[in-house]
Amino acid sequence: MKKDFRVQYPLWQIGFMLIFMALVFVITGAVTTYVNNKTSFSYTIQLEALEGGIVFLLIPVFLIMAIMLSSKLKKYNKEHPTKKLSVWRTKPLEYMEDDEAWQMITRVATQKVYTFFTWSLPLSAVFHLLIPTSKFLIILNIVVLSLVQYLIFYIHVRKHVTEEEE
């Protein structure tokens, strides 16, 4: 069960978010020019050599990860034709509702994530209202909350997977 794609999916999400965070860091540090007047509209981003190099490295990493994720998803769907998964559906891939036990595990993990957001979102909003922050810090806050969400879910499910295997 440890190799079940649905157990590994939160780790994939975390990986994609870390790449996104690195891109945001580079782009928010770049020199940008925004022109919007009655006759024209333009937006330019100027990357220095270091930032350009980082973007040049991150884009292939992102594409390789996307290809790997897609191939793992195809492999999972081939091995489990009755439980096919798609990243385009509205129900998260982490939900494992094969039987009552997994429904309960998923429910408890989801409750933990909901409890986390019940407290973290209002605290984040107050923080950003009281302290002047940049766009980068707001995006960083959202990404960190998402990372913690997936970590909470993964740790809870992983705990049950390791208990099952013993």
Side-chain angles (χ1 to χ4, degrees), residues 14 108-117 145-158:
I14 290 170
V108 172
T110 306
Q111 284 176 335
K112 287 181 178 185
V113 170
Y114 181 81
T115 302
F116 166 72
F117 276 122
L145 292 178
S146 298
L147 288 171
V148 173
Q149 162 199 342
Y150 283 109
L151 279 174
I152 290 169
F153 192 93
Y154 176 75
I155 289 169
H156 180 77
V157 170
R158 177 78 178 167

PDB file of all heavy atoms in Angstrom, residues 14 108-117 145-158:
ATOM      1  N   ILE A  14       3.580  18.586  -3.149  1.00  0.00           N
ATOM      2  CA  ILE A  14       4.588  19.359  -2.426  1.00  0.00           C
ATOM      3  C   ILE A  14       5.753  19.700  -3.350  1.00  0.00           C
ATOM      4  O   ILE A  14       6.243  20.834  -3.369  1.00  0.00           O
ATOM      5  CB  ILE A  14       5.055  18.588  -1.172  1.00  0.00           C
ATOM      6  CG1 ILE A  14       3.928  18.562  -0.134  1.00  0.00           C
ATOM      7  CG2 ILE A  14       6.319  19.200  -0.587  1.00  0.00           C
ATOM      8  CD1 ILE A  14       4.168  17.630   1.034  1.00  0.00           C
ATOM      9  N   VAL A 108     -10.694  11.304   8.697  1.00  0.00           N
ATOM     10  CA  VAL A 108      -9.938  11.860   9.821  1.00  0.00           C
ATOM     11  C   VAL A 108      -8.808  12.770   9.317  1.00  0.00           C
ATOM     12  O   VAL A 108      -8.579  13.848   9.870  1.00  0.00           O
ATOM     13  CB  VAL A 108      -9.395  10.730  10.732  1.00  0.00           C
ATOM     14  CG1 VAL A 108      -8.456  11.281  11.786  1.00  0.00           C
ATOM     15  CG2 VAL A 108     -10.549   9.983  11.386  1.00  0.00           C
ATOM     16  N   ALA A 109      -8.114  12.345   8.264  1.00  0.00           N
ATOM     17  CA  ALA A 109      -7.046  13.176   7.694  1.00  0.00           C
ATOM     18  C   ALA A 109      -7.615  14.498   7.179  1.00  0.00           C
ATOM     19  O   ALA A 109      -7.032  15.563   7.392  1.00  0.00           O
ATOM     20  CB  ALA A 109      -6.331  12.429   6.584  1.00  0.00           C
ATOM     21  N   THR A 110      -8.753  14.420   6.528  1.00  0.00           N
ATOM     22  CA  THR A 110      -9.403  15.621   6.009  1.00  0.00           C
ATOM     23  C   THR A 110      -9.865  16.529   7.148  1.00  0.00           C
ATOM     24  O   THR A 110      -9.761  17.754   7.056  1.00  0.00           O
ATOM     25  CB  THR A 110     -10.593  15.234   5.108  1.00  0.00           C
ATOM     26  OG1 THR A 110     -10.127  14.340   4.099  1.00  0.00           O
ATOM     27  CG2 THR A 110     -11.213  16.441   4.457  1.00  0.00           C
ATOM     28  N   GLN A 111     -10.353  15.951   8.238  1.00  0.00           N
ATOM     29  CA  GLN A 111     -10.747  16.751   9.396  1.00  0.00           C
ATOM     30  C   GLN A 111      -9.549  17.482   9.989  1.00  0.00           C
ATOM     31  O   GLN A 111      -9.656  18.642  10.393  1.00  0.00           O
ATOM     32  CB  GLN A 111     -11.381  15.869  10.474  1.00  0.00           C
ATOM     33  CG  GLN A 111     -12.791  15.445  10.159  1.00  0.00           C
ATOM     34  CD  GLN A 111     -13.351  14.494  11.218  1.00  0.00           C
ATOM     35  OE1 GLN A 111     -12.618  13.793  11.907  1.00  0.00           O
ATOM     36  NE2 GLN A 111     -14.674  14.472  11.323  1.00  0.00           N
ATOM     37  N   LYS A 112      -8.404  16.813  10.036  1.00  0.00           N
ATOM     38  CA  LYS A 112      -7.198  17.463  10.554  1.00  0.00           C
ATOM     39  C   LYS A 112      -6.804  18.649   9.684  1.00  0.00           C
ATOM     40  O   LYS A 112      -6.438  19.717  10.187  1.00  0.00           O
ATOM     41  CB  LYS A 112      -6.047  16.459  10.637  1.00  0.00           C
ATOM     42  CG  LYS A 112      -6.201  15.458  11.757  1.00  0.00           C
ATOM     43  CD  LYS A 112      -5.030  14.508  11.804  1.00  0.00           C
ATOM     44  CE  LYS A 112      -5.184  13.545  12.962  1.00  0.00           C
ATOM     45  NZ  LYS A 112      -4.015  12.686  13.130  1.00  0.00           N
ATOM     46  N   VAL A 113      -6.882  18.472   8.376  1.00  0.00           N
ATOM     47  CA  VAL A 113      -6.557  19.560   7.462  1.00  0.00           C
ATOM     48  C   VAL A 113      -7.566  20.698   7.619  1.00  0.00           C
ATOM     49  O   VAL A 113      -7.193  21.874   7.663  1.00  0.00           O
ATOM     50  CB  VAL A 113      -6.517  19.059   5.994  1.00  0.00           C
ATOM     51  CG1 VAL A 113      -6.430  20.210   5.012  1.00  0.00           C
ATOM     52  CG2 VAL A 113      -5.359  18.092   5.805  1.00  0.00           C
ATOM     53  N   TYR A 114      -8.845  20.366   7.756  1.00  0.00           N
ATOM     54  CA  TYR A 114      -9.877  21.390   7.937  1.00  0.00           C
ATOM     55  C   TYR A 114      -9.638  22.171   9.226  1.00  0.00           C
ATOM     56  O   TYR A 114      -9.750  23.401   9.253  1.00  0.00           O
ATOM     57  CB  TYR A 114     -11.265  20.731   7.951  1.00  0.00           C
ATOM     58  CG  TYR A 114     -12.385  21.716   8.118  1.00  0.00           C
ATOM     59  CD1 TYR A 114     -12.849  22.446   7.026  1.00  0.00           C
ATOM     60  CD2 TYR A 114     -12.977  21.930   9.355  1.00  0.00           C
ATOM     61  CE1 TYR A 114     -13.873  23.356   7.167  1.00  0.00           C
ATOM     62  CE2 TYR A 114     -14.001  22.843   9.511  1.00  0.00           C
ATOM     63  CZ  TYR A 114     -14.446  23.555   8.417  1.00  0.00           C
ATOM     64  OH  TYR A 114     -15.444  24.470   8.565  1.00  0.00           O
ATOM     65  N   THR A 115      -9.283  21.472  10.297  1.00  0.00           N
ATOM     66  CA  THR A 115      -8.996  22.137  11.569  1.00  0.00           C
ATOM     67  C   THR A 115      -7.798  23.073  11.416  1.00  0.00           C
ATOM     68  O   THR A 115      -7.808  24.203  11.938  1.00  0.00           O
ATOM     69  CB  THR A 115      -8.721  21.096  12.673  1.00  0.00           C
ATOM     70  OG1 THR A 115      -9.856  20.241  12.781  1.00  0.00           O
ATOM     71  CG2 THR A 115      -8.442  21.753  14.001  1.00  0.00           C
ATOM     72  N   PHE A 116      -6.778  22.621  10.709  1.00  0.00           N
ATOM     73  CA  PHE A 116      -5.612  23.465  10.452  1.00  0.00           C
ATOM     74  C   PHE A 116      -6.020  24.749   9.735  1.00  0.00           C
ATOM     75  O   PHE A 116      -5.621  25.851  10.131  1.00  0.00           O
ATOM     76  CB  PHE A 116      -4.577  22.695   9.630  1.00  0.00           C
ATOM     77  CG  PHE A 116      -3.514  23.562   9.031  1.00  0.00           C
ATOM     78  CD1 PHE A 116      -2.535  24.120   9.831  1.00  0.00           C
ATOM     79  CD2 PHE A 116      -3.489  23.811   7.672  1.00  0.00           C
ATOM     80  CE1 PHE A 116      -1.547  24.937   9.282  1.00  0.00           C
ATOM     81  CE2 PHE A 116      -2.516  24.603   7.121  1.00  0.00           C
ATOM     82  CZ  PHE A 116      -1.546  25.181   7.924  1.00  0.00           C
ATOM     83  N   PHE A 117      -6.836  24.633   8.694  1.00  0.00           N
ATOM     84  CA  PHE A 117      -7.254  25.820   7.949  1.00  0.00           C
ATOM     85  C   PHE A 117      -8.207  26.701   8.749  1.00  0.00           C
ATOM     86  O   PHE A 117      -8.225  27.920   8.557  1.00  0.00           O
ATOM     87  CB  PHE A 117      -7.886  25.429   6.607  1.00  0.00           C
ATOM     88  CG  PHE A 117      -6.872  25.204   5.533  1.00  0.00           C
ATOM     89  CD1 PHE A 117      -6.795  23.998   4.881  1.00  0.00           C
ATOM     90  CD2 PHE A 117      -5.992  26.193   5.162  1.00  0.00           C
ATOM     91  CE1 PHE A 117      -5.856  23.780   3.891  1.00  0.00           C
ATOM     92  CE2 PHE A 117      -5.043  25.999   4.164  1.00  0.00           C
ATOM     93  CZ  PHE A 117      -4.980  24.782   3.534  1.00  0.00           C
ATOM     94  N   LEU A 145       0.920  27.349   3.598  1.00  0.00           N
ATOM     95  CA  LEU A 145      -0.323  26.741   4.089  1.00  0.00           C
ATOM     96  C   LEU A 145      -0.659  25.489   3.283  1.00  0.00           C
ATOM     97  O   LEU A 145      -1.068  24.468   3.843  1.00  0.00           O
ATOM     98  CB  LEU A 145      -1.478  27.743   4.027  1.00  0.00           C
ATOM     99  CG  LEU A 145      -1.394  28.930   4.981  1.00  0.00           C
ATOM    100  CD1 LEU A 145      -2.577  29.862   4.760  1.00  0.00           C
ATOM    101  CD2 LEU A 145      -1.323  28.492   6.422  1.00  0.00           C
ATOM    102  N   SER A 146      -0.469  25.548   1.980  1.00  0.00           N
ATOM    103  CA  SER A 146      -0.730  24.376   1.133  1.00  0.00           C
ATOM    104  C   SER A 146       0.239  23.242   1.437  1.00  0.00           C
ATOM    105  O   SER A 146      -0.161  22.072   1.484  1.00  0.00           O
ATOM    106  CB  SER A 146      -0.634  24.749  -0.343  1.00  0.00           C
ATOM    107  OG  SER A 146      -1.608  25.701  -0.663  1.00  0.00           O
ATOM    108  N   LEU A 147       1.505  23.579   1.634  1.00  0.00           N
ATOM    109  CA  LEU A 147       2.485  22.560   1.978  1.00  0.00           C
ATOM    110  C   LEU A 147       2.118  21.860   3.281  1.00  0.00           C
ATOM    111  O   LEU A 147       2.167  20.628   3.377  1.00  0.00           O
ATOM    112  CB  LEU A 147       3.881  23.170   2.095  1.00  0.00           C
ATOM    113  CG  LEU A 147       4.566  23.591   0.806  1.00  0.00           C
ATOM    114  CD1 LEU A 147       5.830  24.374   1.104  1.00  0.00           C
ATOM    115  CD2 LEU A 147       4.885  22.395  -0.050  1.00  0.00           C
ATOM    116  N   VAL A 148       1.743  22.643   4.273  1.00  0.00           N
ATOM    117  CA  VAL A 148       1.368  22.060   5.570  1.00  0.00           C
ATOM    118  C   VAL A 148       0.116  21.201   5.415  1.00  0.00           C
ATOM    119  O   VAL A 148       0.020  20.126   6.008  1.00  0.00           O
ATOM    120  CB  VAL A 148       1.179  23.159   6.634  1.00  0.00           C
ATOM    121  CG1 VAL A 148       0.621  22.589   7.932  1.00  0.00           C
ATOM    122  CG2 VAL A 148       2.496  23.873   6.896  1.00  0.00           C
ATOM    123  N   GLN A 149      -0.826  21.644   4.593  1.00  0.00           N
ATOM    124  CA  GLN A 149      -2.032  20.849   4.338  1.00  0.00           C
ATOM    125  C   GLN A 149      -1.662  19.464   3.827  1.00  0.00           C
ATOM    126  O   GLN A 149      -2.140  18.453   4.343  1.00  0.00           O
ATOM    127  CB  GLN A 149      -2.909  21.567   3.316  1.00  0.00           C
ATOM    128  CG  GLN A 149      -3.940  20.678   2.660  1.00  0.00           C
ATOM    129  CD  GLN A 149      -4.468  21.260   1.361  1.00  0.00           C
ATOM    130  OE1 GLN A 149      -4.336  22.441   1.104  1.00  0.00           O
ATOM    131  NE2 GLN A 149      -5.067  20.426   0.553  1.00  0.00           N
ATOM    132  N   TYR A 150      -0.823  19.408   2.797  1.00  0.00           N
ATOM    133  CA  TYR A 150      -0.441  18.118   2.228  1.00  0.00           C
ATOM    134  C   TYR A 150       0.415  17.294   3.187  1.00  0.00           C
ATOM    135  O   TYR A 150       0.318  16.072   3.213  1.00  0.00           O
ATOM    136  CB  TYR A 150       0.273  18.303   0.888  1.00  0.00           C
ATOM    137  CG  TYR A 150      -0.698  18.615  -0.217  1.00  0.00           C
ATOM    138  CD1 TYR A 150      -0.759  19.870  -0.795  1.00  0.00           C
ATOM    139  CD2 TYR A 150      -1.593  17.646  -0.665  1.00  0.00           C
ATOM    140  CE1 TYR A 150      -1.669  20.149  -1.798  1.00  0.00           C
ATOM    141  CE2 TYR A 150      -2.506  17.921  -1.661  1.00  0.00           C
ATOM    142  CZ  TYR A 150      -2.544  19.167  -2.227  1.00  0.00           C
ATOM    143  OH  TYR A 150      -3.447  19.450  -3.210  1.00  0.00           O
ATOM    144  N   LEU A 151       1.241  17.955   3.987  1.00  0.00           N
ATOM    145  CA  LEU A 151       2.034  17.223   4.981  1.00  0.00           C
ATOM    146  C   LEU A 151       1.149  16.592   6.050  1.00  0.00           C
ATOM    147  O   LEU A 151       1.363  15.439   6.427  1.00  0.00           O
ATOM    148  CB  LEU A 151       3.054  18.153   5.634  1.00  0.00           C
ATOM    149  CG  LEU A 151       4.320  18.392   4.850  1.00  0.00           C
ATOM    150  CD1 LEU A 151       5.182  19.451   5.532  1.00  0.00           C
ATOM    151  CD2 LEU A 151       5.104  17.117   4.674  1.00  0.00           C
ATOM    152  N   ILE A 152       0.163  17.338   6.519  1.00  0.00           N
ATOM    153  CA  ILE A 152      -0.763  16.789   7.525  1.00  0.00           C
ATOM    154  C   ILE A 152      -1.463  15.560   6.961  1.00  0.00           C
ATOM    155  O   ILE A 152      -1.525  14.512   7.605  1.00  0.00           O
ATOM    156  CB  ILE A 152      -1.800  17.849   7.958  1.00  0.00           C
ATOM    157  CG1 ILE A 152      -1.136  18.939   8.785  1.00  0.00           C
ATOM    158  CG2 ILE A 152      -2.943  17.214   8.745  1.00  0.00           C
ATOM    159  CD1 ILE A 152      -2.033  20.147   9.036  1.00  0.00           C
ATOM    160  N   PHE A 153      -1.991  15.691   5.766  1.00  0.00           N
ATOM    161  CA  PHE A 153      -2.706  14.583   5.144  1.00  0.00           C
ATOM    162  C   PHE A 153      -1.777  13.391   4.942  1.00  0.00           C
ATOM    163  O   PHE A 153      -2.107  12.261   5.294  1.00  0.00           O
ATOM    164  CB  PHE A 153      -3.318  15.019   3.809  1.00  0.00           C
ATOM    165  CG  PHE A 153      -4.291  14.029   3.253  1.00  0.00           C
ATOM    166  CD1 PHE A 153      -5.632  14.140   3.533  1.00  0.00           C
ATOM    167  CD2 PHE A 153      -3.869  12.972   2.462  1.00  0.00           C
ATOM    168  CE1 PHE A 153      -6.542  13.221   3.029  1.00  0.00           C
ATOM    169  CE2 PHE A 153      -4.755  12.047   1.964  1.00  0.00           C
ATOM    170  CZ  PHE A 153      -6.100  12.170   2.250  1.00  0.00           C
ATOM    171  N   TYR A 154      -0.591  13.640   4.375  1.00  0.00           N
ATOM    172  CA  TYR A 154       0.345  12.553   4.083  1.00  0.00           C
ATOM    173  C   TYR A 154       0.793  11.841   5.358  1.00  0.00           C
ATOM    174  O   TYR A 154       0.822  10.614   5.405  1.00  0.00           O
ATOM    175  CB  TYR A 154       1.559  13.096   3.329  1.00  0.00           C
ATOM    176  CG  TYR A 154       2.598  12.040   3.080  1.00  0.00           C
ATOM    177  CD1 TYR A 154       2.408  11.079   2.097  1.00  0.00           C
ATOM    178  CD2 TYR A 154       3.757  11.980   3.844  1.00  0.00           C
ATOM    179  CE1 TYR A 154       3.347  10.086   1.873  1.00  0.00           C
ATOM    180  CE2 TYR A 154       4.700  10.994   3.628  1.00  0.00           C
ATOM    181  CZ  TYR A 154       4.487  10.050   2.634  1.00  0.00           C
ATOM    182  OH  TYR A 154       5.422   9.074   2.424  1.00  0.00           O
ATOM    183  N   ILE A 155       1.140  12.588   6.386  1.00  0.00           N
ATOM    184  CA  ILE A 155       1.616  11.974   7.633  1.00  0.00           C
ATOM    185  C   ILE A 155       0.535  11.101   8.243  1.00  0.00           C
ATOM    186  O   ILE A 155       0.806   9.987   8.696  1.00  0.00           O
ATOM    187  CB  ILE A 155       2.099  13.058   8.623  1.00  0.00           C
ATOM    188  CG1 ILE A 155       3.409  13.661   8.105  1.00  0.00           C
ATOM    189  CG2 ILE A 155       2.279  12.497  10.021  1.00  0.00           C
ATOM    190  CD1 ILE A 155       3.845  14.916   8.844  1.00  0.00           C
ATOM    191  N   HIS A 156      -0.703  11.577   8.231  1.00  0.00           N
ATOM    192  CA  HIS A 156      -1.796  10.781   8.805  1.00  0.00           C
ATOM    193  C   HIS A 156      -2.014   9.487   8.016  1.00  0.00           C
ATOM    194  O   HIS A 156      -2.100   8.409   8.600  1.00  0.00           O
ATOM    195  CB  HIS A 156      -3.092  11.594   8.853  1.00  0.00           C
ATOM    196  CG  HIS A 156      -4.233  10.824   9.422  1.00  0.00           C
ATOM    197  ND1 HIS A 156      -4.358  10.610  10.767  1.00  0.00           N
ATOM    198  CD2 HIS A 156      -5.267  10.192   8.839  1.00  0.00           C
ATOM    199  CE1 HIS A 156      -5.434   9.869  10.987  1.00  0.00           C
ATOM    200  NE2 HIS A 156      -6.010   9.613   9.821  1.00  0.00           N
ATOM    201  N   VAL A 157      -2.078   9.594   6.706  1.00  0.00           N
ATOM    202  CA  VAL A 157      -2.313   8.402   5.882  1.00  0.00           C
ATOM    203  C   VAL A 157      -1.109   7.471   5.951  1.00  0.00           C
ATOM    204  O   VAL A 157      -1.259   6.252   6.072  1.00  0.00           O
ATOM    205  CB  VAL A 157      -2.632   8.803   4.421  1.00  0.00           C
ATOM    206  CG1 VAL A 157      -2.638   7.594   3.502  1.00  0.00           C
ATOM    207  CG2 VAL A 157      -3.981   9.513   4.361  1.00  0.00           C
ATOM    208  N   ARG A 158       0.063   8.037   5.907  1.00  0.00           N
ATOM    209  CA  ARG A 158       1.291   7.225   5.950  1.00  0.00           C
ATOM    210  C   ARG A 158       1.383   6.429   7.253  1.00  0.00           C
ATOM    211  O   ARG A 158       1.829   5.285   7.260  1.00  0.00           O
ATOM    212  CB  ARG A 158       2.495   8.155   5.797  1.00  0.00           C
ATOM    213  CG  ARG A 158       3.802   7.495   5.887  1.00  0.00           C
ATOM    214  CD  ARG A 158       4.106   6.799   4.622  1.00  0.00           C
ATOM    215  NE  ARG A 158       5.430   6.223   4.810  1.00  0.00           N
ATOM    216  CZ  ARG A 158       5.936   5.345   4.037  1.00  0.00           C
ATOM    217  NH1 ARG A 158       5.273   4.937   2.992  1.00  0.00           N
ATOM    218  NH2 ARG A 158       7.107   4.851   4.266  1.00  0.00           N
TER     219      ARG A 158
END
